[in-house]
Amino acid sequence: PSIAGAIRTLAAVEGGKAEFHPDLPGEKLARVVLDKGDNITFEPGGQVEFSSVPYPCLEDAVTRMRGMLGNMRKSLMAAGIEPVQMGVNPWHSPEQIGLQVPKSRYRAMDEYFTEIGPYGRKMMRSSATVQVNLDFGDSEAVLAKRYLLSQLLAPVSAATFSYSPFQDGRKAEVPAFRTKIWRHVDPARTGFPKGLERVAKELSHGSCIETYLDYLLAAPVIFVAANDYQRAPAGVTFGHWLDNPIAGFRPDLSDLNTHMSLLFPEVRPRGFLELRSIDCQAEAWQEVPAAYFTGLLYDEQSCDGALELLLPILPRLDQVMDQATHGMGDASIVKLAQQVMELAVSGFERLPPCFKEPRLSKALPMFADTFTARGTNPGQELYRQVASQGDWLSLSALRRIEDCWSQALN
C-alpha cells in the first residue's frame, strides 16, 4: 500500500493540491497544500507531517488538527495502512526503514549525520514529534521571557511527555529515547544556544537575537545547494563561509535560510517560537502539549512562576536535558515536572474563553492526574503495561492501551 497514494486521495477530498519533487524521477509526492493553506509533507523515513496555518486561538488550531488527522487516519486505513503516533518507531531499525524520501537535501544530511554517529540516521528515519508553535507576545519583555522560559521548559516537557520507550523491536536504551537521539545527533546544531545567561540578565530582544546569531554562525555547513548539494568541507561553519567561498560559491540569503532550517535546537525561533522537545503523542493526548505550553507561556502569572522555579537550572541546562532522557525516572525531574504541570493547568484555566475547547480543557488536567502527579509519563506507563505481558510491543497491545486512554478521556 502507498502512503503517498492515500494522501493524494485525501487531498482530492479536501480540495488540496499535490506538489511533486523536482529532483526525483517520476511523480514523487513532495507535499499537499490543502484548501486552508495547511501542508501535509513527508519526513525522510516516510513520517507523515501535518502543519496547520496560524490560528488566533488555540481552540481553532486544535479543532483543525483533530479533524485533519482524523480524516488522514481514515484515508490511510482505507488503503490498508494503520498509522501509529509515537516518538520513535518501536519496531523497525533505521536501516530497515531506509531513506524513503531520497531527495538531494536528505541524502546529504544522511551522509553528514552518519559520519558523526548512529543517532542522526535514527532522528531522520525513526523519530516523530508534536511541535507547538507560539507567538512571541506583544512587547520586548514578553518576547524575552517566553524565549527564555521555553528553553528552560525543554527538559521538563521532554520528560513529562516522553512516549518513546521502544526501539528496533525491543526496550529502548532509555525511557525517553527520542530525547536521547536528539542529544547525540550533532552537538553543534542541537540543544541550546550559548549565552542564555545574558538573556536572563537583560530580558531584551537584542540579547535573544545575538545569542541565536552566534549559535547560527558557529554551526557547520552541511552542503552547498548551488554546488549540486555537494558536502561542505568538514568543520566549515557558516561564519567561516561568509568570508571564504566553498568551491567558488559564496552564501546568499537562500543559503542562510537553508542553514537555519538545518539547525535543530530545542527551541527554534522562526518569527515565532517552535517548541521541539515533545515526543509525538498517542491520539488521546496529542493536543495536551499545546495546552501545557500556552498555559505556561501565555498566562503572565504562570510564566513568571515557572521562570522563578526553573531559573536555577539554567547554569546546568544541558545536564538536566541529559537527565530528561531517563524520563520521569529522575527524582529531581519528577518534582520539577509536577510543579510545572500545576502552573500549566492553573495558567490554562486563566486563559481567554477561545482557548477553552471542551475536550482540551478536560484532557490537560486528566493527563496531569493520570501521569505527572503519579511520577510517570505515557511512555513509561506503556512500557509498564507491556512488560507485565512480556517485553514485546505488538500493535494490538499498543491499540488496547491507547484505546483505554481515549475511552477514559471521552
Side-chain angles (χ1 to χ4, degrees):
S2 167
I3 293 176
I7 298 300
R8 290 183 71 175
T9 300
L10 173 65
V13 173
E14 294 284 330
K17 177 185 177 184
E19 297 181 359
F20 302 94
H21 287 289
D23 60 339
L24 294 179
E27 286 195 342
K28 297 293 194 306
L29 187 64
R31 68 171 180 163
V32 168
V33 181
L34 299 169
D35 59 343
K36 296 182 184 295
D38 314 296
N39 285 303
I40 298 174
T41 53
F42 302 92
E43 293 297 296
Q47 307 97 313
V48 183
E49 180 176 34
F50 170 64
S51 305
S52 79
V53 296
Y55 286 95
C57 244
L58 183 59
E59 179 178 11
D60 301 317
V62 164
T63 300
R64 174 60 172 164
M65 181 184 77
R66 187 184 301 143
M68 191 64 242
L69 292 184
N71 292 339
M72 187 186 300
R73 180 177 292 275
K74 290 177 184 177
S75 295
L76 291 168
M77 295 286 282
I81 301 163
E82 188 162 353
V84 171
Q85 297 178 198
M86 294 189 76
V88 171
N89 185 316
W91 298 297
H92 306 102
S93 70
E95 290 69 34
Q96 290 172 317
I97 295 169
L99 192 61
Q100 293 296 309
V101 185
K103 63 181 183 178
S104 302
R105 171 190 171 101
Y106 288 162
R107 290 199 303 270
M109 290 171 63
D110 194 59
E111 180 183 329
Y112 172 86
F113 288 128
T114 300
E115 290 176 1
I116 296 174
Y119 290 96
R121 181 166 283 186
K122 293 178 188 294
M123 175 272 288
M124 292 179 66
R125 303 181 184 190
S126 303
S127 69
T129 180
V130 175
Q131 289 180 357
V132 179
N133 300 326
L134 301 175
D135 67 80
F136 280 108
D138 58 2
S139 70
E140 181 173 337
V142 172
L143 177 152
K145 281 185 179 182
R146 288 184 183 180
Y147 182 65
L148 178 61
L149 178 56
S150 63
Q151 311 279 350
L152 297 170
L153 285 171
V156 179
S157 61
T160 298
F161 293 101
S162 169
Y163 197 48
S164 49
F166 294 94
Q167 60 148 342
D168 301 352
R170 64 184 188 277
K171 182 182 179 182
E173 300 168 17
V174 290
F177 187 56
R178 179 186 165 276
T179 299
K180 178 167 183 175
I181 288 174
W182 279 106
R183 295 299 292 161
H184 292 81
V185 166
D186 178 4
R189 62 189 345 102
T190 60
F192 307 96
K194 294 180 174 62
L196 290 176
E197 289 83 0
R198 178 187 168 191
V199 175
K201 181 180 179 181
E202 298 180 10
L203 288 180
S204 67
H205 187 199
S207 62
C208 296
I209 291 174
E210 288 172 21
T211 55
Y212 197 74
L213 178 61
D214 290 343
Y215 171 79
L216 180 157
L217 294 173
V221 178
I222 294 181
F223 57 75
V224 179
N227 191 30
D228 196 25
Y229 290 86
Q230 291 298 308
R231 288 279 310 283
V236 172
T237 67
F238 196 84
H240 182 82
W241 190 17
L242 287 173
D243 298 320
N244 302 273
I246 297 175
F249 294 94
R250 290 188 176 275
D252 58 17
L253 186 58
S254 174
D255 293 306
L256 174 61
N257 288 331
T258 296
H259 182 69
M260 291 175 69
S261 74
L262 294 169
L263 300 178
F264 305 110
E266 297 296 334
V267 179
R268 184 158 62 178
R270 298 178 57 193
F272 51 85
L273 290 167
E274 183 182 82
L275 309 177
R276 304 170 46 84
S277 303
I278 303 291
D279 282 5
C280 189
Q281 299 292 290
E283 186 176 0
W285 313 118
Q286 63 189 1
E287 301 135 10
V288 173
Y292 173 88
F293 281 121
T294 52
L296 289 163
L297 294 173
Y298 281 20
D299 177 73
E300 184 177 1
Q301 183 177 331
S302 286
C303 182
D304 289 342
L307 273 173
E308 183 179 358
L309 175 67
L310 296 176
L311 271 173
I313 72 172
L314 180 56
R316 51 190 179 89
L317 191 55
D318 277 301
Q319 177 186 344
V320 179
M321 199 71 208
D322 288 333
Q323 291 172 328
T325 64
H326 299 282
M328 300 287 266
D330 185 287
S332 62
I333 291 278
V334 170
K335 184 177 180 180
L336 282 177
Q338 290 170 339
Q339 292 172 306
V340 168
M341 182 61 79
E342 289 178 5
L343 290 168
V345 172
S346 61
F348 184 77
E349 290 173 350
R350 288 189 292 267
L351 291 176
C354 72
F355 283 79
K356 306 299 177 56
E357 194 275 336
R359 178 184 169 98
L360 189 56
S361 296
K362 181 180 179 181
L364 176 60
M366 181 174 285
F367 182 99
D369 291 341
T370 302
F371 302 111
T372 317
R374 295 171 47 235
T376 187
N377 58 39
Q380 285 165 244
E381 182 60 20
L382 174 67
Y383 183 76
R384 185 189 69 80
Q385 294 195 39
V386 170
S388 68
Q389 306 295 322
D391 281 350
W392 168 249
L393 175 68
S394 64
L395 181 59
S396 60
L398 175 64
R399 290 299 182 224
R400 184 172 61 252
I401 294 166
E402 292 189 339
D403 285 347
C404 285
W405 291 339
S406 294
Q407 289 166 13
L409 182 57
N410 293 330

